[in-house]
Amino acid sequence: MFSRTADQQGWQQLTADIAASLLPVGFDIVHAFPVQLLNTESPPHNQLPAFGRNCTLAVIIGNSKHLWEPFLHWLAGNTALLASSDPLDEYTELHIHQALQQCCSEQQQQQQQQHSPAGTHQSSQ
């Protein structure tokens, strides 16, 4: 069910890009896996959506103690967030969202370039 395909290189590159983007901000755990594999081992109430696909990519993002230095540096430059009920949560959401948005749009652009007919190019105008 989860055999090697041409898409494997794509998801491996996407996962590596996400990991590289998140490492400087302290998220040093990034692991991709197929949702279907998790779902076969989980009770229904713990399953993730597969969106009707045979193989759906999920990514676990986490951190170790290496998060604290970049977080505290960021917090020192954003003192208004000291009043926040959870500045670490805001930091996490902001940086993960930015990394995913950047990496996924780069991946999409690469795929469009690979699938565009020879001799054509896409303009950024």
Side-chain angles (χ1 to χ4, degrees):
M1 181 163 137
F2 303 108
S3 61
R4 297 176 73 93
T5 67
D7 289 336
Q8 184 174 17
Q9 189 174 33
W11 70 257
Q12 288 175 333
Q13 184 61 53
L14 178 60
T15 304
D17 291 348
I18 292 168
S21 182
L22 289 172
L23 186 59
V25 293
F27 296 96
D28 53 352
I29 300 168
V30 177
H31 181 72
F33 63 94
V35 167
Q36 289 77 3
L37 185 61
L38 173 77
N39 287 350
T40 60
E41 302 294 325
S42 301
H45 64 278
N46 287 339
Q47 293 183 0
L48 297 176
F51 305 106
R53 297 180 178 169
N54 292 330
C55 190
T56 308
L57 180 67
V59 180
I60 292 176
I61 298 171
N63 64 278
S64 65
K65 65 182 181 179
H66 300 289
L67 173 75
W68 296 108
E69 186 176 332
F71 169 66
L72 293 174
H73 178 74
W74 176 82
L75 190 58
N78 294 284
T79 54
L81 288 172
L82 290 172
S84 168
S85 64
D86 196 340
L88 179 57
D89 199 34
E90 291 187 35
Y91 176 85
T92 300
E93 287 183 29
L94 172 71
H95 287 90
I96 290 176
H97 178 77
Q98 286 176 344
L100 292 176
Q101 189 173 30
Q102 175 188 348
C103 293
C104 290
S105 75
E106 288 173 1
Q107 181 86 0
Q108 187 176 32
Q109 288 173 357
Q110 290 172 359
Q111 287 176 347
Q112 288 173 348
Q113 289 172 352
Q114 290 172 354
H115 297 299
S116 61
T120 64
H121 68 280
Q122 295 190 357
S123 173
S124 59
Q125 296 177 353

